[in-house]
Amino acid sequence: MLAFIALSLPVTAVLLNLLICVNGQLHPAEPAHYQATPALRVQAEIMDGWRQERLDALPRLMRKYDVDAWLMGQREHAEDTVWWSIKPATAFAAHRRTVVLFHINASLPNPLMWVDNTGDVWPALRETLAELAPRRIAVNVDRDIAFAGGMHVGELAVLQEELGERWKRHFVNVPMLAVDFVSRRVPSQIEHFRKMQETVWAMLEEAFSARVVVPGVTTTDDLEWWFREKMEAQNVSTWNQPRVKVLDALSFPGWSGSGSRVHEGDVLHVDFGISAMGMHTDTQHLGYVLRASEGERNVPAGLVAGMHKANRMQEIVLDEMHVGRTGNEVLAACNKRMKEEEIEGQVYSHPISDFAHSPGATIGFTNLPEYVPVYGELPLLPDTYYSIELFARHFVPERNESLRFMLEENVYWVSETERWQFIRGRQERYHLVDIRNNDRTVDDDSEGFRAQWP
């Protein structure tokens, strides 16, 4: 199929398709299966194990950033942003006033924590600080990075008043400490994250099929509600409500669906993410509604070429994502190579961890295609996950219009190879709605079967 397309496209497209043939073929060969999450008690045990592993590594991280103590104060319903990364799995909020102190003294429990609504915490904290004698005390007061700026202004005022000048002068703002801690993944998380991603693919393959879509009847709103109901049935939640569009020349990344009725010949796009076990996915895929009433059996060549151009952009981004580079350096390198290869498009990729839009080096924004202040100046870190989000713009002769082919896939850092790898491959073929074959992209057992997630 690629060879046929290449004969009808300009020379640059021929080269593009050759590159896809060499580096591509990452679309999973088998249909996805829904993966059941573990029992809640088992989930909590697993998540607390991840948490402890990350906390055990924190003193080393603090030394990396020349920090002797990390002090957080919060109240119920006014938690520090980092709280959600350090809390036990079954904790839903901070209690009363919760003061947390991380330190680098191996002879004391770490962290030290006080829960108080009487004021007794302050003399205990002063006594502890006197024993530890920290030279630099990190507090989360950064003005630009949310994950390093989670201390509420009232809590900071109380800390300064209660600890006095003796300790206030040791306060430092070290945003990379919070960024590094929150974004880092531990090795055993990937097994469960990969299962989450397979569930996402199972939803996509089912949603963009004749089992769900009835051309001329189904609307994009119907599909959005289908995704919500399916997530509920799979015992996962969402941080990113599903947004389904019928693509046209004006379609651009955004926060809403198109509110359209779906017809034969339409290109469908969805952007959504699921949440489970403290982790989040972020995915965008494309579907195509075959003109079955006219006998169409294949996706038009122009649409195929547009997706493959976006696939090539994915490869460029991963090639340029060197640990230690800033997000803006990666973005500039990607833009340069896209220009050299005559690819029109835009990159806007981001880390994904305890938070779906996670701390770390941001590689472009939809409204900032060349330079991102603050987040774009942060370095890429190892042992993290990223969401490779982008679009390629491509003229589709069969439609006589240019479309933005928006794709998004999650990747993780493989320490053994020091390279990024897709969690579950990437989309290289459209999910097809073919009313002549309503099982084309769906498991026969998708109505009731769930593969066991050990």
Side-chain angles (χ1 to χ4, degrees):
M1 187 174 181
L2 286 176
F4 171 79
I5 295 169
L7 292 173
S8 63
L9 294 174
V11 174
T12 54
V14 174
L15 295 175
L16 173 64
N17 280 307
L18 288 174
L19 286 167
I20 292 294
C21 288
V22 172
N23 294 326
Q25 308 306 317
L26 296 174
H27 194 113
E30 299 297 326
H33 293 261
Y34 289 105
Q35 301 291 306
T37 55
L40 289 178
R41 187 171 187 172
V42 176
Q43 287 189 47
E45 292 170 353
I46 294 170
M47 293 167 65
D48 283 340
W50 295 340
R51 167 182 174 267
Q52 192 57 52
E53 191 172 345
R54 294 169 68 187
L55 294 182
D56 289 344
L58 189 49
R60 183 171 64 253
L61 198 62
M62 292 168 64
R63 291 188 180 93
K64 174 182 176 180
Y65 294 107
D66 192 24
V67 168
D68 305 302
W70 191 8
L71 179 60
M72 299 173 212
Q74 59 248 302
R75 285 159 289 169
E76 191 170 357
H77 308 308
E79 291 83 5
D80 192 297
T81 316
V82 176
W83 165 259
W84 306 108
S85 295
I86 65 174
K87 73 175 188 66
T90 55
F92 287 96
H95 294 293
R96 310 318 189 246
R97 168 173 276 118
T98 298
V99 176
V100 181
L101 180 67
F102 291 100
H103 56 82
I104 57 174
N105 188 326
S107 65
L108 292 176
N110 205 359
L112 297 167
M113 187 178 300
W114 296 265
V115 176
D116 174 64
N117 63 355
T118 66
D120 289 346
V121 60
W122 305 121
L125 179 57
R126 289 192 293 268
E127 181 180 339
T128 301
L129 290 174
E131 179 181 354
L132 293 173
R135 179 176 47 90
R136 284 164 53 86
I137 305 172
V139 289
N140 296 332
V141 294
D142 193 76
R143 62 184 295 174
D144 295 313
I145 298 175
F147 306 92
M151 182 173 288
H152 287 238
V153 63
E155 199 67 13
L156 176 62
V158 172
L159 273 179
Q160 291 174 331
E161 179 181 331
E162 292 291 346
L163 297 183
E165 189 61 35
R166 177 183 177 185
W167 296 114
K168 185 173 71 171
R169 60 190 175 89
H170 293 278
F171 288 0
V172 292
N173 175 29
V174 187
M176 277 305 299
L177 177 58
V179 168
D180 205 327
F181 175 74
V182 173
S183 64
R184 294 269 180 161
R185 308 290 82 196
V186 300
S188 58
Q189 285 182 282
I190 191 61
E191 172 192 353
H192 297 275
F193 194 62
R194 187 173 284 116
K195 288 177 169 62
M196 288 174 61
Q197 196 68 60
E198 182 167 0
T199 289
V200 167
W201 276 71
M203 290 183 192
L204 291 162
E205 291 169 3
E206 185 175 2
F208 288 172
S209 77
R211 182 168 296 189
V212 175
V213 176
V214 179
V217 176
T218 304
T219 67
T220 55
D221 288 346
D222 293 334
L223 285 169
E224 290 174 357
W225 283 106
W226 182 92
F227 275 106
R228 293 184 180 105
E229 295 286 357
K230 183 60 71 171
M231 285 187 280
E232 182 78 11
Q234 297 301 315
N235 291 323
V236 298
S237 59
T238 183
W239 69 275
N240 178 14
Q241 292 287 336
R243 303 185 299 281
V244 180
K245 298 177 182 178
V246 172
L247 289 191
D248 60 26
L250 298 179
S251 297
F252 190 80
W255 297 102
S256 61
S258 61
S260 312
R261 192 171 300 278
V262 179
H263 298 283
E264 290 187 347
D266 282 345
V267 178
L268 299 174
H269 171 269
V270 64
D271 183 355
F272 82 113
I274 68 171
S275 301
M277 298 181 69
M279 299 184 292
H280 313 275
T281 69
D282 199 0
T283 308
Q284 295 179 47
H285 276 201
L286 297 170
Y288 180 70
V289 186
L290 286 168
R291 300 179 187 273
S293 63
E294 301 174 13
E296 185 179 52
R297 293 195 174 274
N298 296 301
V299 179
L303 294 178
V304 173
M307 177 180 285
H308 286 173
K309 188 176 287 187
N311 288 151
R312 176 58 187 152
M313 287 178 62
Q314 292 170 332
E315 294 164 3
I316 290 173
V317 174
L318 294 187
D319 281 347
E320 297 298 339
M321 284 177 60
H322 303 307
V323 166
R325 268 186 172 181
T326 67
N328 286 329
E329 288 171 341
V330 174
L331 180 62
C334 291
N335 287 341
K336 179 175 182 293
R337 289 180 61 176
M338 288 161 54
K339 184 176 181 180
E340 291 170 351
E341 297 186 23
E342 300 182 22
I343 299 174
E344 182 183 354
Q346 192 173 328
V347 177
Y348 37 97
S349 302
H350 60 85
I352 187 166
S353 64
D354 297 345
F355 300 83
H357 287 166
S358 184
T362 298
I363 308 170
F365 273 126
T366 54
N367 64 324
L368 298 170
E370 296 182 353
Y371 179 85
V372 177
V374 184
Y375 281 94
E377 288 301 295
L378 299 180
L380 270 73
L381 298 171
D383 303 321
T384 55
Y385 299 168
Y386 261 80
S387 196
I388 307 303
E389 187 175 6
L390 48 77
F391 73 74
R393 191 175 177 89
H394 183 76
F395 179 73
V396 181
E398 297 89 344
R399 300 165 63 112
N400 194 33
E401 64 180 356
S402 292
L403 296 178
R404 293 178 179 88
F405 292 81
M406 298 174 284
L407 295 178
E408 185 171 16
E409 301 285 2
N410 301 153
V411 301
Y412 72 108
W413 176 256
V414 182
S415 57
E416 292 80 8
T417 61
E418 296 190 344
R419 299 283 294 177
W420 303 93
Q421 182 172 315
F422 289 105
I423 304 295
R424 192 183 184 273
R426 67 176 182 187
Q427 186 184 23
E428 297 175 347
R429 304 191 298 271
Y430 285 82
H431 304 298
L432 295 182
V433 179
D434 184 355
I435 60 173
R436 295 160 300 194
N437 178 10
N438 67 8
D439 291 322
R440 184 162 184 176
T441 62
V442 183
D443 302 346
D444 291 337
D445 50 17
S446 65
E447 288 294 324
F449 171 77
R450 287 206 218 161
Q452 288 302 303
W453 184 345

